[in-house]
Amino acid sequence: MRSVEEQQARVAAAAVAPRPVRVAIAESQGLMCAEEVVTERPMPGFDQAAIDGYAVRSVDVLSVGDGAGEISLPVMGSIEAGARTPSRLQPRQAARVQTGAPMPTLADAVLPLRWTDGGESRVRILRSVRSGAYVRRTGDDVQPGDVAVRAGTIIGPAQVGLLAAVGRDRVLVHPRPRLSVMCVGGELVDVSRSPGTGQVYDVNSYALAAAGRDAGAEVNRVGIISTDPRELRETVEGQVNRNEIVVIAGAVGGAAAESVRTVLSELGEMEVARIAMHPGSVQGFGQLGRDRVPVFLLPANPVSALVVFEVMVRPLIRLSLGKRQPMRRMVQARTLAPISSVAGRTGYLRGQLMRDQDTGEYLVQALGGAPGASTHLLATLAEANCLVVIPSEVDEVRTGETVDVAFLAQRG
């Protein structure tokens, strides 16, 4: 039986990063930048007022507060943000300016409105101001030749804003990996139909597609596919040729799964193995097609399928996105009740993570993890906000002991 870490290493070695593409900056958020974005012009591109007030020569107001008496200056006009006509300030003059307005020639400071009487034709000065105060100088933020966004940076709101600020409307990025999700099983019907005797709804293709989007992939939910050898091969081959990752649920147990694996083996390397984890110990992984695309075979049980996706598929998606840390954030929490696990296998048990308001300590309540409880209850997975990770050498965790907990996506 292979360890979880060994299987994760095999999967990570198969990570395929899509070729970089150029996208509009509005569509780049969350993606990894694939180029060095070098600025061609300074930002800001001109000296501008950083606050509403009066543009002045600082030397003209230095004596305020030094016993020289009241100072007032004539106001030569008003300059609005976006003004395109150059203006010049004469000695012992002031100009009313808006935030972002271009500074008039000779002015080297802005007096905030609160330091004046707000006069329109003539302004009384209440405080002096130093040279450069409340002025954004040309190139204060970025100089020509500076790197605005580096290759390998995950583009967030600040990077989108900076790209816009330096005049870039498109940027080269590593796109989201394309993920195809499909299911096999003669008992499956789509949610648009009513199941007959012996039939169940196709849960996996919907749940796994949602998990793929949550991880950051561009998802194609194929749904239920035929197990006829010729049709199955055509379907899988087509998906392998147009995606970076393929997931097939329901293909690791029973005679039908055996026939699926036989067909897949014609397209490349595929291995079904027992992994030392629960739920979902039996799972498949291989690389198919001319581009050796990673293909996962997941259990038919929805809870097991989602857990295997979380532990094996999600990290691969994150690696393909360029994330330096593909795994979920882990914290330690104190258990509120006993937890039973399977000896010899790492347990990934759904739970509810809480925090003590007084001490800040994390507390966790396992869902379905008590002795004798089922590991296949989908309703409890929907209530979970974490996975409790139990080491393979542990089969019982007592109340009050500390365990590792992986955060799932935040709800609400």
Side-chain angles (χ1 to χ4, degrees):
M1 188 177 292
R2 187 176 298 147
S3 72
V4 171
E5 293 73 20
E6 289 172 333
Q7 184 73 354
Q8 286 176 327
R10 292 166 68 94
V11 170
V16 177
R19 291 186 179 90
V21 296
R22 198 167 295 279
V23 301
I25 61 172
E27 301 171 359
S28 67
Q29 186 172 355
L31 302 178
M32 185 171 70
C33 186
E35 65 172 320
E36 297 280 297
V37 179
V38 179
T39 59
E40 299 178 356
R41 56 182 63 89
M43 187 181 77
F46 54 90
D47 291 353
Q48 60 182 239
I51 192 174
D52 287 0
Y54 295 86
V56 297
R57 298 193 319 155
S58 58
V59 67
D60 290 338
V61 297
L62 280 178
S63 60
V64 175
D66 292 340
E70 179 182 290
I71 291 179
S72 65
L73 300 175
V75 179
M76 51 82 70
S78 178
I79 306 173
E80 298 180 349
R84 303 183 67 179
T85 302
S87 57
R88 182 180 179 88
L89 195 70
Q90 298 298 325
R92 297 193 61 77
Q93 278 187 341
R96 183 74 177 259
V97 290
Q98 292 181 354
T99 302
M103 292 288 288
T105 304
L106 295 186
D108 66 342
V110 175
L111 274 165
L113 285 175
R114 64 182 183 277
W115 293 359
T116 72
D117 68 349
E120 295 183 3
S121 60
R122 194 170 189 90
V123 59
R124 185 162 60 92
I125 312 301
L126 306 179
R127 288 182 57 176
S128 62
V129 67
R130 58 179 175 79
S131 179
Y134 302 106
V135 176
R136 295 183 66 211
R137 296 292 186 188
T138 303
D140 270 356
D141 286 347
V142 177
Q143 292 284 351
D146 286 351
V147 178
V149 181
R150 297 194 177 278
T153 300
I154 302 300
I155 298 176
Q159 286 73 30
V160 172
L162 190 53
L163 288 166
V166 300
R168 291 291 295 269
D169 62 341
R170 301 182 72 82
V171 62
L172 194 68
V173 297
H174 295 287
R176 303 182 191 281
R178 292 165 297 183
L179 168 70
S180 177
V181 178
M182 61 193 88
C183 299
V184 295
E187 77 282 11
L188 299 177
V189 296
D190 192 72
V191 295
S192 60
R193 296 174 52 193
S194 298
T197 303
Q199 293 182 316
V200 296
Y201 285 126
D202 166 26
V203 173
N204 278 326
S205 72
Y206 289 94
L208 296 174
R213 294 187 194 96
D214 181 71
E218 179 184 320
V219 178
N220 173 35
R221 190 192 68 83
V222 179
I224 306 166
I225 61 174
S226 170
T227 54
D228 174 78
R230 183 179 61 82
E231 293 183 22
L232 175 64
R233 178 182 175 121
E234 289 179 357
T235 301
V236 174
E237 195 168 21
Q239 295 304 315
V240 164
N241 288 338
R242 66 175 66 100
N243 293 277
E244 281 77 42
I245 304 170
V246 173
V247 170
I248 307 173
V252 292
E258 184 65 35
S259 63
V260 169
R261 296 197 295 272
T262 299
V263 173
L264 297 185
S265 65
E266 299 172 3
L267 302 176
E269 301 173 5
M270 176 57 66
E271 176 197 51
V272 174
R274 283 193 173 274
I275 310 302
M277 63 178 284
H278 78 94
S281 63
V282 181
Q283 54 189 264
F285 176 72
Q287 293 176 269
L288 306 184
R290 63 178 181 271
D291 294 326
R292 294 177 54 78
V293 172
V295 177
F296 294 86
L297 304 183
L298 273 53
N301 177 270
V303 170
S304 299
L306 280 169
V307 170
V308 174
F309 190 100
E310 175 70 29
V311 177
M312 299 296 172
V313 186
R314 189 178 195 277
L316 181 64
I317 294 172
R318 307 298 283 174
L319 286 172
S320 298
L321 282 167
K323 303 293 186 182
R324 295 180 178 88
Q325 176 49 265
M327 310 305 291
R328 296 275 195 183
R329 179 192 171 196
M330 299 282 287
V331 298
Q332 288 196 319
R334 184 164 54 83
T335 59
L336 295 177
I339 302 175
S340 178
S341 188
V342 178
R345 301 183 191 179
T346 302
Y348 294 91
L349 310 176
R350 50 217 179 275
Q352 286 184 332
L353 187 66
M354 298 156 274
R355 201 161 194 176
D356 189 298
Q357 291 185 348
D358 296 327
T359 65
E361 179 185 24
Y362 284 109
L363 307 172
V364 67
Q365 171 74 55
L367 301 173
S374 172
T375 62
H376 303 300
L377 299 177
L378 189 61
T380 58
L381 187 63
E383 292 298 317
N385 63 2
C386 69
L387 285 179
V388 184
V389 183
I390 308 298
S392 58
E393 65 273 12
V394 176
D395 59 3
E396 290 286 344
V397 178
R398 294 188 295 270
T399 301
E401 292 188 337
T402 300
V403 292
D404 289 329
V405 175
F407 278 109
L408 297 179
Q410 296 296 315
R411 300 192 300 161

